């Protein structure tokens, strides 16, 4: 079902006591709302976060997972491990995973399959680099990222997929896609999904925008027809900013 979603990607920030402090702040300030609110602390703090958020309208989600079920993959975390600590949603394909950890569309297709096989919901991230936009290749890049990682899915799988369009040039840079650029790309994404999986799938799909969303620009971006919420990095680390972004809906 198409939903309003605000998800905070904490990345490699917040040790245990900082995680507890930020969660307590969020519990105190996040309003009763029809927006689905999610936060993604680092792996080691997921269980504590799950316990603290029980009974509150904030879902704890993971930032990544490995595609195999178990075995000799030192340092990795499986879908089942996430589920065993109360996580039901995982972010896959974040541009930092692609850029710094060599994650390709082909690998992400496997991670997507593993997550779905374990009944995890996915926040799937993708988006073009600055050169792609400058050379007006951004639509092609986005289309091929979607095709390579998600076009093998069945229509029924899409109930567990949330898309997050994150232009790489806007992540952590303070530069945001204009509301017009965001709407233009989100409409293109919905059309691409509609052509392959049908209009019902596309209409029901939640498509988030990510890349320097702040309290000051959230209202304008979220007002766009095809923008169903945001994946928030830097501004998710301060309860006041994250709450203001939720209130922007
Ligand atoms: P940012 O990060 O809001 O700090 O740009 C967004 C993201 O990486 O998901």
């Amino acid at each position: 079902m198409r939903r309003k979603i605000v998800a905070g990607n904490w990345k490699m920030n917040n040790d245990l006591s900082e995680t507890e402090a930020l969660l307590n702040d969020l519990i105190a300030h996040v309003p009763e709302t029809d927006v689905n609110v999610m936060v993604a602390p680092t792996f080691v703090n997921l269980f504590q976060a799950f316990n603290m958020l029980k009974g509150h309208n904030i879902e704890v989600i993971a930032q990544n997972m490995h595609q195999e079920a178990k075995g000799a993959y030192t340092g990795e975390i499986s879908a089942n491990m996430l589920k065993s600590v109360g996580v039901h949603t995982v972010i896959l394909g974040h541009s930092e995973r692609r850029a710094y950890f060599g994650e390709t569309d082909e690998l992400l297709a496997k991670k997507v399959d593993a997550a779905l096989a374990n009944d995890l919901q996915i926040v799937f991230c993708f988006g073009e680099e600055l050169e792609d936009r400058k050379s007006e290749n951004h639509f092609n890049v986005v289309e091929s990222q979607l095709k390579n990682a998600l076009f093998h899915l069945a229509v029924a799988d899409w109930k567990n997929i949330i898309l997050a369009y994150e232009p790489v040039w806007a992540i952590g840079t303070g530069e945001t896609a204009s509301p017009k650029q965001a709407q233009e790309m989100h409409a293109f994404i919905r059309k691409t999904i509609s052509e392959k999986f049908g209009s019902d799938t596309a209409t029901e799909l939640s498509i988030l925008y990510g890349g320097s969303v702040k309290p000051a620009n959230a209202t304008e971006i979220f007002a766009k027809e095809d923008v169903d919420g945001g994946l928030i990095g830097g501004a998710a680390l301060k309860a006041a900013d994250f709450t203001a972004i939720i209130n922007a809906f």
Side-chain angles (χ1 to χ4, degrees), residues 9 11 94-96 125 166 170-175 210-214 231-236:
N9 174 12
K11 309 190 180 184
H94 191 280
S95 72
E96 288 147 20
C125 306
E166 300 206 303
I171 296 178
T173 58
E175 189 159 337
S212 298
V213 177
K214 310 275 181 240
L231 182 57
I232 322 296

Side-chain angles (χ1 to χ4, degrees), residues 41-64:
T42 186
F43 285 130
V44 289
N45 293 325
L46 287 175
F47 188 49
Q48 177 63 356
F50 171 72
N51 282 320
M52 288 180 69
L53 292 173
K54 264 185 206 160
H56 299 285
N57 61 342
I58 305 172
E59 180 185 350
V60 59
I61 72 173
Q63 298 177 19
N64 179 34

